[in-house]
Amino acid sequence: MVSLNELSEEFKSIYVIDNDGIPLFKTYLLGEWVDAKDVQYLKSPIDLSVYAKVPKLNHEMIDSTLSVMYKVGKWEIRDIPGEKRLKIYHKIADLLDKYRDDFINVLMIGNGKTKAQANGEINASIERLIRADLDVRKLYGEYVPGDWSTESLESEAIVRREPLGIVLGITPFNYPLFDVINKFVYSTVAGNAFILKPASSTPLPAIMLAKLAEIAEFPKRALSIITIQGNEMDKIISDKRINVITFTGSSESGEQVIKSGGLKQYIMELGGGDPAIVLGDADPKIAAQRIASGITSYSGQRCDSIKFIFAEASIYEQLKNYLIEELKKIKVGDPRESNTAMGPIIDPNTVQEFEYAVKDAVNKGATILYGGNILGPTYIEPTLLEVDKKVLKELYLFRKEVFLSIATLTKVDNIDEAIELNTERRYGLDAAIFGNDIFKIRKALRRLEVGAIYINDYPKHGIGYFPFGGRKDSGTGREGIGYTIEYVTSYKTLVYNYKGKGIWEYI
């Protein structure tokens, strides 16, 4: 039975060991640590045992929280000078590094991440906090002289960016620390208050982060973590006191958020499942290594995971053989074991979807080149299916995003076929191209309807140093250092009238 290791002294004030021996955590509202009458049980994907409990807040608690944030919190954060905000982020980064082992513990038990994957997420989170200074570049305004129009002579204007007020962040299970920190940083560096709804299955990293923010003296009434089920969020999403919603999740959930939210600003990173196009002049071994990483990284539970491989005929067989070799190297198992490369899936329902998708593909003519087996309630083999281009579009895998390590391999005559097949999908997050023919690559760069294209590498959003986000059903807006600022702020134009004051004497 999986259980959390004892956390450091600084975290002991935010949980108690309940009568059943399971840690019961509080959550953070407006600088106070609170519990609730009802609780939610958290299960580890490693063996589905309960490892912690968190409060299940009611709407009255959240409504009163929003009232204080709207009246006080959004001004409290704006009254903190920008340079002091940066110091707070740096302090949080130092604390995150200091209590690294606590976060590794929670990410391994709660998410099924290997130690290397947990460390990687923590490193990215620390860097994102430190690089908040790069967001600031987009907060600067503009000066507009008035003498370029007869109606504005003897006047001038300043165009500035202002925070919109309250940002609601809704984060997924797969990066429960980094996604929280990323949304927290770009929202609050701009001067907004931030209320977070973490994934119901993995809320502990967000709760623990709030403790670090408290120690770092982040303004109390400008931050809250609401632990509530996703299907109870419509009333909160539609609340007029919330000005911006930043959401990462499925396309279906994102569409529901927009319908419920009404007139607001939205940053939506939604469904994906990326294609990799392999040209005939690519190095098949290197391409296979990077594509395999793109398929299996965090068990394929990434929106930028590679799900479709289109290879030109001249390289197809070599690439196929190398891909099979690479997938055979992947050790699936308990993420706490040092030689494990691919840990468990977050819940059994997704494993059942995997089983359905494989059967659907095989029934329609696909061949299993590697994997295809379920290894336990939350464990699968990384899977590669060979699919003819004539039937690819009929597959469940093509129509939906199956959030696992499963990909199809399809032979194409040329890059035009690869582009056309990808265009048929409803998603448009990222794409990868392997090869050297600059003319083919340039054609793909122009025609692929996606938010980002990676040349000779697999898609990986990292800390957002390069902006990312989707087209079509993969979302709207962009996340990225210095880019998301545009969606959490609004222009305000300040016009100064000096008519008749003798400042300008036009000819």
Side-chain angles (χ1 to χ4, degrees), residues 143 145-150 152-156 498-499 502-507:
Y143 167 76
D147 64 323
W148 293 92
S149 170
T150 55
S152 56
L153 292 176
E154 295 189 78
S155 65
E156 61 186 354
Y498 301 106
K499 292 186 185 299
I503 297 174
W504 288 278
E505 295 181 4
Y506 297 115
I507 296 174

Side-chain angles (χ1 to χ4, degrees), residues 140-214:
Y140 300 150
E142 297 177 346
Y143 167 76
V144 184
D147 64 323
W148 293 92
S149 170
T150 55
E151 69 175 16
S152 56
L153 292 176
E154 295 189 78
S155 65
E156 61 186 354
I158 294 173
V159 182
R160 57 182 290 180
R161 281 193 173 277
E162 286 192 349
L164 282 162
I166 298 177
V167 176
L168 167 64
I170 305 175
T171 52
F173 76 86
N174 53 349
Y175 291 94
L177 178 62
F178 176 78
D179 272 339
V180 168
I181 284 178
N182 186 38
K183 287 172 168 48
F184 165 73
V185 169
Y186 65 62
S187 299
T188 60
V189 75
N192 295 289
F194 186 64
I195 183 167
L196 174 77
K197 189 272 183 226
S200 297
S201 58
T202 57
L204 290 194
I207 293 172
M208 291 166 63
L209 174 67
K211 183 61 181 178
L212 302 188
E214 180 185 46

